[in-house]
Amino acid sequence: MGRFVYFMNVSLDLRIEQVPGDNGAGEWLRLTEELHREFNARTRELALMVHGRVIYETMEEYWPRAPEDASLPDFMREYGELWIAKPKILVSRTRLSADHNTRIIGGDDAIEQLAALRAGTDGTISVGGATLATQLLRAGLLDELLLCTHPAILGFGRPLFDDYDMPIELDLLDQRSFEQGVTLHHYSVRDVKEANPC
């Protein structure tokens, strides 16, 4: 069985964007080469990537062009190659097509389809998007969190989970420190179904 792992950059107060639509490009983020190479290594190991529509369209707009952009450093061009090649699922009610090795899941049974996908996959499945991660958490399907914490307190903005007010118990699996005060924390989610039945 696969593991759904929510990958996200967060502030110290667990915000993922300060201004709606900043799409992971806020000035509070400290995305160094060292950190980006860590993202590349973890992406290389994924069995599959699952994106909500908003984050997918952000990625789709930028990364397919990156490998051919000579102005970008090699680690960013490499991430573009990884993103294009990696099998992806787009969860969307509105998109009918997608390129770059992407399959679309939609409709009222999307979470059930994702549960079946998880059961039939070996390895790590990254989850991108707060709405999608929240739905998986509510369904007891979110297995782990991989949070890159940047040393900033935003005070407002979109939280790590959308409209979720139940306690979440976690176990720390590993942690690392990076340049400019960024830390990576990898947690497992304790038995969500007991704490929050779906």
Side-chain angles (χ1 to χ4, degrees):
M1 179 177 291
R3 299 181 323 280
F4 279 132
V5 183
Y6 183 20
F7 282 50
M8 190 55 73
N9 287 300
V10 296
S11 64
L12 287 170
D13 53 347
L14 296 182
R15 303 289 172 176
I16 63 172
E17 62 180 26
Q18 188 172 41
V19 178
D22 73 9
N23 295 325
E27 293 181 4
W28 57 277
L29 292 168
R30 300 182 186 182
L31 299 174
T32 63
E33 176 179 347
E34 180 191 27
L35 185 59
H36 219 297
R37 289 194 186 279
E38 178 70 15
F39 292 160
N40 291 8
R42 290 182 181 267
T43 300
R44 196 175 297 111
E45 295 172 0
L46 294 174
L48 184 65
M49 303 171 88
V50 177
H51 294 320
R53 183 189 55 80
V54 173
I55 199 160
Y56 180 86
E57 290 180 350
T58 299
M59 304 291 272
E60 176 186 45
E61 184 178 326
Y62 185 79
W63 291 112
R65 297 193 306 271
E68 307 305 321
D69 187 343
S71 70
L72 293 176
D74 68 316
F75 57 88
M76 293 184 72
R77 294 196 306 271
E78 179 188 41
Y79 186 83
E81 292 169 356
L82 289 166
W83 188 84
I84 292 166
K86 194 61 64 175
K88 290 175 288 298
I89 301 292
L90 165 58
V91 181
S92 174
R93 292 177 181 273
T94 57
R95 288 280 297 255
L96 301 177
S97 66
D99 295 321
H100 315 298
N101 206 12
T102 305
R103 179 165 64 98
I104 298 175
I105 285 178
D108 293 338
D109 66 342
I111 296 301
E112 289 80 3
Q113 291 181 63
L114 290 173
L117 182 76
R118 174 178 172 253
T121 301
D122 289 327
T124 301
I125 306 166
S126 71
V127 174
T131 300
L132 178 58
T134 305
Q135 291 171 340
L136 291 170
L137 182 66
R138 288 189 186 283
L141 295 172
L142 191 62
D143 299 291
E144 299 172 16
L145 307 178
L146 188 71
L147 303 181
C148 241
T149 306
H150 298 256
I153 296 172
L154 301 185
F156 59 90
R158 191 173 187 182
L160 180 63
F161 292 104
D162 284 338
D163 191 27
Y164 191 88
D165 59 3
M166 296 290 293
I168 306 170
E169 291 193 40
L170 307 171
D171 290 314
L172 183 64
L173 298 176
D174 66 89
Q175 61 185 353
R176 280 195 59 189
S177 296
F178 294 86
E179 298 165 344
Q180 299 188 27
V182 177
T183 57
L184 184 146
H185 294 88
H186 185 189
Y187 299 99
S188 63
V189 178
R190 286 192 184 177
D191 209 351
V192 176
K193 285 188 177 179
E194 287 185 9
N196 184 26
C198 33

